[in-house]
Amino acid sequence: AANHEFDFGDKVLVDLSGATLAEYNGAVQISGLAVEKIAKVSSGNAVTPKTVSIEDFLDNKYEGQYVAIEGVQIVDADLSKTFVEGESHTSINVETADGKTFAIFSSKYSTFGDEKVPQGSGTIKGISSISKGAMQLIFAQDSDYAGLTGTRFDGTTPPDSGDQGGDDDDDPVTPPSG
């Protein structure tokens, strides 16, 4: 219910007394948690994603966890898009070579929203989430999509677009609210 000042890599201690475990569009959420009940324990901790199989990701075995999924690319129909289209929350579709799909969800408040989606294939990272029965990935930092620079599944090489989200400074991005 309030903004916070926590950064990616902060370790926190959460007092869950009085909070309620609930569900929102299929995702687990904690309701009634005041930001004052969250205390920063330490900062600058390394956060390493867990590399997971596409099958386990699609089976929602890692909800709320920071994951890496190898062997993916943005679908052809979404290659001309930016992460946020217009002023709306946006889903960008991702595929594997064997046709499995999921979405990247970007809040309209995302700091990287006006960046064009990566044109190549590779590894993508983010927070595993579900919405209305469909799996999605939510970026935790701007380098989460920097690994999509390889040859596309059809053999085409992505254009060199300079720095498309891979500035390697691991700045946190604004997560979706809701």
Side-chain angles (χ1 to χ4, degrees):
N3 290 329
H4 63 80
E5 298 294 323
F6 304 115
D7 292 321
F8 191 75
D10 284 351
K11 184 179 276 187
V12 297
L13 180 63
V14 181
D15 176 0
L16 293 173
S17 61
T20 307
L21 188 62
E23 195 174 289
Y24 178 77
N25 286 337
V28 175
Q29 79 173 14
I30 299 170
S31 298
L33 179 65
V35 72
E36 296 79 27
K37 289 191 162 200
I38 306 170
K40 187 185 311 184
V41 175
S42 62
S43 297
N45 299 287
V47 181
T48 304
K50 178 178 182 70
T51 300
V52 301
S53 71
I54 186 66
E55 292 80 12
D56 285 349
F57 171 75
L58 292 174
D59 283 343
N60 196 20
K61 293 185 179 180
Y62 299 98
E63 183 179 350
Q65 296 181 48
Y66 188 48
V67 300
I69 304 167
E70 300 173 326
V72 299
Q73 67 182 19
I74 306 298
V75 299
D76 288 347
D78 287 351
L79 287 175
S80 64
K81 295 181 178 180
T82 56
F83 283 113
V84 174
E85 292 284 297
E87 306 251 341
S88 301
H89 300 314
T90 303
S91 291
I92 300 294
N93 295 302
V94 178
E95 65 185 350
T96 62
D98 61 357
K100 293 176 178 70
T101 61
F102 63 92
I104 298 165
F105 175 82
S106 298
S107 164
K108 65 183 177 181
Y109 305 109
S110 299
T111 57
F112 56 88
D114 60 352
E115 291 187 38
K116 189 172 179 182
V117 300
Q119 305 294 295
S121 68
T123 300
I124 195 166
K125 300 178 248 176
I127 307 299
S128 176
S129 185
I130 189 168
S131 180
K132 299 177 184 174
M135 291 307 298
Q136 59 185 15
L137 205 61
I138 301 170
F139 296 136
Q141 54 189 348
D142 60 5
S143 62
D144 282 346
Y145 46 93
L148 298 178
T149 58
T151 301
R152 290 188 59 80
F153 302 151
D154 64 4
T156 58
T157 303
D160 180 15
S161 59
D163 181 25
Q164 59 177 7
D167 64 3
D168 293 330
D169 64 3
D170 294 339
D171 290 336
V173 295
T174 305
S177 60

